[in-house]
Amino acid sequence: MERIPNPVTGSLDDGSMPAGPLTPLMVVCRYALALLTPIYVAAAVVGAEQLPWWWLFVAYIVVLLPLTAGAHGSWWRSQSWDAWHTSGLAVGGVLVVGLVVTIATGEPLVMVLASTLVVGAVLGVGASQLWRARVEGAL
């Protein structure tokens, strides 16, 4: 009889379950997840007077949950630390710096600028990786 691993830790009795392979769906979800927060922040700042804040936040959470699961490849286990996690920290760092400058200056468009820079960087890296994959014949 085959043992079922713990869905949270992925471990059996003594060993741990190896990380699953990176799939195209995981790559798409990772890029979408990297774009979601800056787009949400820019929309929240620009549309602050038109929309109630909680509608946009609820939509953000509803989209965030399945993208997070797709980016990790599972609802129950995460991937080991890699460049994707580091890039998430960089995106968060740019947004935090933008938030601090926005609070210090009182100018909300600084946050829109920071979000726009992050979106541009993510799209640029994605285009570069797609181009390299196409040139190398992986696509």
Side-chain angles (χ1 to χ4, degrees):
M1 179 174 196
E2 184 178 341
R3 298 205 49 174
I4 298 173
N6 181 330
V8 176
T9 63
S11 66
L12 293 169
D13 290 332
D14 55 354
S16 65
M17 197 167 142
L22 186 65
T23 65
L25 177 64
M26 289 171 66
V27 172
V28 168
C29 287
R30 287 179 179 191
Y31 277 104
L33 192 59
L35 292 172
L36 180 66
T37 300
I39 289 173
Y40 162 72
V41 168
V45 170
V46 171
E49 296 177 5
Q50 288 83 14
L51 293 172
W53 69 269
W54 56 273
W55 277 105
L56 196 56
F57 184 69
V58 169
Y60 172 74
I61 296 298
V62 166
V63 173
L64 179 73
L65 292 175
L67 281 182
T68 301
H72 287 291
S74 169
W75 283 101
W76 304 114
R77 83 175 162 193
S78 65
Q79 296 290 318
S80 58
W81 188 272
D82 60 5
W84 176 66
H85 294 90
T86 306
S87 67
L89 287 176
V91 166
V94 170
L95 294 177
V96 166
V97 168
L99 179 64
V100 168
V101 172
T102 297
I103 291 170
T105 63
E107 180 59 47
L109 289 181
V110 172
M111 199 64 208
V112 174
L113 176 65
S115 298
T116 303
L117 289 173
V118 169
V119 168
V122 170
L123 291 177
V125 169
S128 171
Q129 289 180 348
L130 185 63
W131 179 259
R132 279 193 310 245
R134 185 170 180 207
V135 167
E136 292 172 1
L139 291 179

